[in-house]
Amino acid sequence: MDIPFNEAVLNSSAAEMRPEPPNSLDLDGSNPRRIKLTAPNINLSLDQSEGSLLSDDNLDTPDEIDINVDDLETPDEADSFEYTGHEEQPVSKEISQEASDSIPEYTAEEEREDNRLWRTVVIGDQEQRIDMKAIEPYKKVISHGGYYGDGVNAIIVFAACFLPDSSRTDYHYVMENLFLYVISTLELMVAEDYMVVYLNGATPRRRMPGLGWMKRCYQMIDRRLRKNLKSFIIVHPSWFIRTILAVTRPFISSKFSSKIQYVSTLAELSELIPMEYVNIPESIVKLDEELREASAKASCLSNDPEITSVQQDVDMKLNGNS
């Protein structure tokens, strides 16, 4: 027995059971639904067969693209997008102050001062740098004493009493830079002939230059300076300096040895050169007065038994042991 099926009833029932289509997206995830998408068939072969990426159908492009740039709409300043999600925090003044304190500013004046602390000279065709700050207290060791005779015959004064003490920890470093300073200054001071006045008095043994230092000075002097040196006068010579010159005689020329003169007093020196511009340290002036007094006393007491002790006192002063 066939039971008739009422299609209208089924259609109305199905319509009642079917949910209404949503008029907005369901973003709360209450009714999750999976949608399956079917990708179109793509032929990835490199030939130009039908359906291939290189087929004529896929490669067809319009012959002409007419774009009017003036018609394009571009955003103006009012339409620009302002990002306000993150704001930069202002840097703390304390942190910036600490950073500036950790790296001190190097001013132009300090830079010029630093450049003045070093002097570049050329000695023996080699460029040398002199630490002027290290030798600042000892620059008086060499000075210009004016001129003698006709022309520009210079008088160079070397005062050993201004040399550094050998007990310094940086003695060799200071003497190395002082050596370069003396040689370079000598070349600047001398134009023609010249003489050197070596003030040996009032110099304790610990300030006396070593044999190697004096030998190196002589070897580093330019040939022109050696040739133009007319006289080397040693004032208040001690037995120590006489011994050094005797030891170095084999290393120096006979011409140089013939230029050495010994002078016992400043009065004798004034008979050889003009003293107007020669700078004599106070310690040497005082020593010279004491030596003249001792010498005068020795002359008056030439027949006195105490002459031996007086002569010993004179020798001690000359040797820098007073």
Side-chain angles (χ1 to χ4, degrees), residues 51-116:
S52 172
L53 290 174
L54 299 181
S55 64
D56 294 336
D57 296 336
N58 292 328
L59 292 177
D60 286 343
T61 56
D63 295 335
E64 227 177 88
I65 300 177
D66 188 9
I67 300 176
N68 189 353
V69 178
D70 296 333
D71 294 338
L72 295 178
E73 294 184 1
T74 57
D76 54 13
E77 263 184 46
D79 298 332
S80 61
F81 177 72
E82 296 182 1
Y83 178 68
T84 58
H86 174 73
E87 295 182 359
E88 293 185 359
Q89 297 295 330
V91 180
S92 174
K93 291 184 179 180
E94 296 180 358
I95 298 176
S96 60
Q97 182 66 28
E98 292 177 359
S100 62
D101 293 341
S102 61
I103 305 176
E105 184 179 357
Y106 197 54
T107 63
E109 180 63 27
E110 290 174 342
E111 185 175 357
R112 287 192 296 269
E113 184 67 25
D114 183 67
N115 291 333
R116 286 197 294 267

Side-chain angles (χ1 to χ4, degrees), residues 65-200:
I65 300 177
D66 188 9
I67 300 176
N68 189 353
V69 178
D70 296 333
D71 294 338
L72 295 178
E73 294 184 1
T74 57
D76 54 13
E77 263 184 46
D79 298 332
S80 61
F81 177 72
E82 296 182 1
Y83 178 68
T84 58
H86 174 73
E87 295 182 359
E88 293 185 359
Q89 297 295 330
V91 180
S92 174
K93 291 184 179 180
E94 296 180 358
I95 298 176
S96 60
Q97 182 66 28
E98 292 177 359
S100 62
D101 293 341
S102 61
I103 305 176
E105 184 179 357
Y106 197 54
T107 63
E109 180 63 27
E110 290 174 342
E111 185 175 357
R112 287 192 296 269
E113 184 67 25
D114 183 67
N115 291 333
R116 286 197 294 267
L117 297 179
W118 291 89
R119 177 185 295 178
T120 302
V121 297
V122 178
I123 300 177
D125 297 331
Q126 292 184 357
E127 189 175 276
Q128 307 282 352
R129 295 191 70 196
I130 304 175
D131 187 349
M132 300 301 294
K133 185 176 181 180
I135 66 171
E136 181 65 29
Y138 314 108
K139 290 168 62 176
K140 293 181 180 180
V141 72
I142 186 171
S143 60
H144 200 295
Y147 301 94
Y148 70 97
D150 299 329
V152 287
N153 302 319
I155 300 174
I156 308 301
V157 182
F158 188 93
C161 60
F162 290 127
L163 288 171
D165 197 312
S166 59
S167 62
R168 289 179 58 102
T169 55
D170 58 348
Y171 176 76
H172 295 288
Y173 176 79
V174 173
M175 289 296 287
E176 175 71 18
N177 284 272
L178 191 60
F179 161 76
L180 297 175
Y181 174 76
V182 169
I183 298 299
S184 60
T185 304
L186 187 62
E187 292 180 351
L188 293 175
M189 290 181 174
V190 174
E192 296 180 3
D193 295 341
Y194 71 103
M195 67 167 56
V196 174
V197 177
Y198 184 87
L199 302 177
N200 181 73

Side-chain angles (χ1 to χ4, degrees), residues 267-281:
E268 293 180 22
L269 179 64
S270 62
E271 296 175 359
L272 299 177
I273 62 172
M275 299 287 291
E276 183 179 2
Y277 299 105
V278 177
N279 183 25
I280 305 296

Side-chain angles (χ1 to χ4, degrees), residues 7 38 71 118 154-155 167 171 183 246 258 263 292 297 310:
E7 292 183 0
T38 304
D71 294 338
W118 291 89
I155 300 174
S167 62
Y171 176 76
I183 298 299
S258 63
V263 173
R292 284 190 293 105
K297 185 177 179 180
V310 173

Side-chain angles (χ1 to χ4, degrees), residues 289-307:
E289 293 175 354
E290 293 175 356
L291 293 176
R292 284 190 293 105
E293 292 176 0
S295 179
K297 185 177 179 180
S299 299
C300 296
L301 303 175
S302 56
N303 297 324
D304 196 287
E306 294 182 358
I307 184 62

